[in-house]
Amino acid sequence: PKTVRHTEQWWRRWVARCRYQGEYREEVVRSLLALKALAFSPSGGIAAAATTSLPEQLGGVRNWDYRFCWIRDATFTLMALLEGGYEQEARDWREWLLRAMAGAPEQMQISYGVDGERRLTETQLPWLPGYADSRPVRIGNAASEQFQLDVYGELMDALHQARTHGIPPLTDAWELQRALMDYLESHWSDPDNGVWEVRGQRRHFTHSKVMAWCAMDRAVQGVERFGLEGPVDRWKSLRQEIFDEVCEKGFDRRRNTFTQYYGSESLDAALLLIPAVGFLPAADPRMKGTVEAIEKHLLRDGFVQRYTMNEQTRDLDGLPPGEGAFLACTFWLADNYVLQGRADEGRKLFERLLDLRNDVGLLSEEYDPKARRLVGNIPQAFSHVALINTAHNLGTGNGPAHRRGRTTKSS
């Protein structure tokens, strides 16, 4: 039929714009297609997934609605699009971010509707049995009302990376960033719900503080590299203060590893992102120790779990333990291997992840090694963004993890 032919031609023309010619091009293109398909063209917003309530554990209660846009995905998504040569899509994503952020910074949410909607009220649908009898089925997401410190770092870094890649700046972008920094200066020391949107009490999550450092660092670079106006000396001082606090309170010297939150013994795969934002190089002994601890305690059947999860830690997220391996975390481990000069190990792990894709090259949020199947919402943008970025890290030796991590040093 004519419509099918025209559709196929449109997508082929779109794929032809991909400028990545390195290793794993076919896999990168397939993941870029998934991102494009998750994009809402009128607004530029990219949904985290196309589904709701597909369980992270079959028969379990970790069933969330991911048909929204997460600020946390900002930098990862932006760099994946730019690496592929899709600058217009990257511009559209940046502009969606700026529109969604309009208003007072203290009202910033961690997620929005694809058109920028703020109300994502979470509701359970008890009359539906759920996939594989996994209840409850949910629409909306209560995490949108949480305080998550790390999204400030992600937003600041995304706008910084856009400038670094030559996307023409918008005059109101820096004004928004200044407002965000004013808010962050007063609130970076507050406990938050963390990157994993835990539904237990707020804590001083180490990754959240690292991302607050990232926000300060990108603000400093806005002044020093791009000639923007701001209280750079104050930001430098705060950057150093956060750096020192994280290294003192978020690091377990006895075990030589960063921990999930201040004073805890738990581990967190989000700590694998420390080198990617430039907080510490991957070769730093503290990062090597953290990678070793994660390999020892969070690696299950060759895949990385999000964080320490057992009956003793269930008060963290207020939910019973048990879920698949969050796929992006395993890609982050592969990135660390590459940054540490262990490219062969990174490649082996990356290719094992590629083998998990379904018959049309899609990945969900998680993988259940015991059931040997994908679990969670699908297709999951975060998994595909991580795939794209790791492929670039392996294929060029100068991928997003290398460039994003090249920043000014606090110590």
Side-chain angles (χ1 to χ4, degrees):
K2 185 177 181 180
T3 303
V4 173
R5 187 169 66 253
H6 285 177
T7 300
E8 182 178 343
Q9 290 172 348
W10 188 94
W11 281 103
R12 289 190 180 279
R13 285 195 298 270
W14 190 85
V15 166
R17 289 168 47 204
C18 179
R19 67 176 176 223
Y20 179 68
Q21 300 297 330
E23 289 183 273
Y24 309 110
R25 187 179 191 278
E26 181 181 346
E27 292 81 358
V28 167
V29 165
R30 177 57 57 181
S31 289
L32 284 167
L33 282 167
L35 288 185
K36 181 63 173 175
L38 287 167
F40 183 55
S41 181
S43 70
I46 300 174
T51 56
T52 180
S53 302
L54 293 183
E56 297 172 14
Q57 182 183 44
L58 297 179
V61 299
R62 295 174 184 263
N63 318 315
W64 314 112
D65 190 350
Y66 280 0
R67 298 170 297 169
F68 309 113
C69 304
W70 262 255
I71 300 299
R72 176 171 300 108
D73 301 3
T75 310
F76 297 101
T77 303
L78 186 84
M79 295 196 75
L81 291 170
L82 288 170
E83 295 291 331
Y86 293 99
E87 293 186 1
Q88 185 56 55
E89 285 78 2
R91 283 192 181 93
D92 292 344
W93 174 234
R94 180 196 62 178
E95 289 167 15
W96 178 89
L97 288 167
L98 291 171
R99 284 197 303 274
M101 292 303 98
E106 64 270 16
Q107 296 175 346
M108 184 173 85
Q109 297 181 185
I110 59 100
S111 58
Y112 296 84
V114 292
D115 211 12
E117 306 95 321
R118 301 181 68 91
R119 181 169 297 210
L120 308 180
T121 306
E122 184 174 306
T123 306
Q124 297 185 11
L125 308 180
W127 60 89
L128 293 177
Y131 182 85
D133 202 32
S134 304
R135 293 182 174 92
V137 173
R138 295 180 172 93
I139 57 172
N141 199 310
S144 63
E145 301 171 10
Q146 291 183 349
F147 173 55
Q148 297 177 18
L149 190 61
D150 66 291
V151 297
Y152 291 87
E154 288 295 349
L155 183 61
M156 290 292 294
D157 197 21
L159 297 176
H160 171 74
Q161 297 299 336
R163 290 189 188 94
T164 301
H165 280 78
I167 295 181
L170 298 175
T171 53
D172 56 348
W174 184 245
E175 293 176 13
L176 168 68
Q177 289 181 267
R178 285 288 305 270
L180 289 173
M181 292 305 297
D182 287 345
Y183 179 77
L184 191 60
E185 285 183 47
S186 302
H187 294 277
W188 72 264
S189 58
D190 295 345
D192 76 320
N193 296 98
V195 61
W196 303 123
E197 303 176 353
V198 297
R199 300 196 174 198
Q201 71 180 72
R202 292 179 178 177
R203 301 174 190 267
H204 294 284
F205 288 102
T206 303
H207 170 262
S208 297
K209 305 303 185 187
V210 168
M211 294 311 297
W213 173 93
C214 179
M216 296 293 171
D217 180 75
R218 285 11 175 209
V220 169
Q221 292 197 57
V223 175
E224 295 186 339
R225 292 183 59 181
F226 296 100
L228 300 167
E229 293 186 5
V232 67
D233 290 338
R234 190 167 79 236
W235 289 339
K236 281 183 175 180
S237 177
L238 282 168
R239 181 180 64 178
Q240 187 66 51
E241 182 180 348
I242 298 170
F243 182 89
D244 293 340
E245 181 183 287
V246 169
C247 292
E248 177 188 354
K249 297 182 179 180
F251 186 75
D252 185 333
R253 289 175 176 77
R254 179 177 60 84
R255 294 187 299 153
N256 191 35
T257 181
F258 285 99
T259 60
Q260 185 177 32
Y261 54 91
Y262 290 176
S264 77
E265 293 189 356
S266 300
L267 297 173
D268 191 330
L271 300 168
L272 293 169
L273 295 172
I274 287 175
V277 301
F279 185 86
L280 284 174
D284 187 281
R286 290 165 289 187
M287 264 318 298
K288 286 187 173 181
T290 301
V291 169
E292 289 171 6
I294 288 172
E295 288 174 323
K296 183 176 180 181
H297 298 289
L298 291 186
L299 208 57
R300 299 284 187 275
D301 301 302
F303 301 101
V304 181
Q305 303 292 313
R306 288 190 299 164
Y307 50 86
T308 304
M309 189 181 297
N310 52 45
E311 288 296 338
Q312 286 70 47
T313 61
R314 68 180 296 170
D315 64 325
L316 180 75
D317 57 17
L319 296 166
E323 64 175 16
F326 194 82
L327 292 175
C329 297
T330 308
F331 283 112
W332 299 341
L333 179 59
D335 292 336
N336 271 265
Y337 287 158
V338 175
L339 292 171
Q340 289 182 2
R342 302 158 64 184
D344 289 343
E345 292 175 74
R347 187 179 308 279
K348 183 178 179 180
L349 186 56
F350 177 72
E351 292 182 350
R352 189 175 183 209
L353 287 161
L354 292 182
D355 289 341
L356 303 183
R357 297 176 304 148
N358 68 10
D359 57 326
V360 289
L362 296 179
L363 288 171
S364 66
E365 180 185 16
E366 299 184 357
Y367 178 73
D368 185 337
K370 290 189 173 63
R372 300 183 67 180
R373 58 170 295 169
L374 297 169
V375 291
N377 288 303
I378 186 170
Q380 179 82 1
F382 213 35
S383 298
H384 285 284
V385 166
L387 186 158
I388 294 166
N389 289 336
T390 302
H392 280 273
N393 294 332
L394 281 165
T396 66
N398 188 32
H402 299 83
R403 289 199 296 281
R404 190 183 180 196
R406 288 195 201 113
T407 185
T408 53
K409 301 301 178 189
S410 303
S411 175

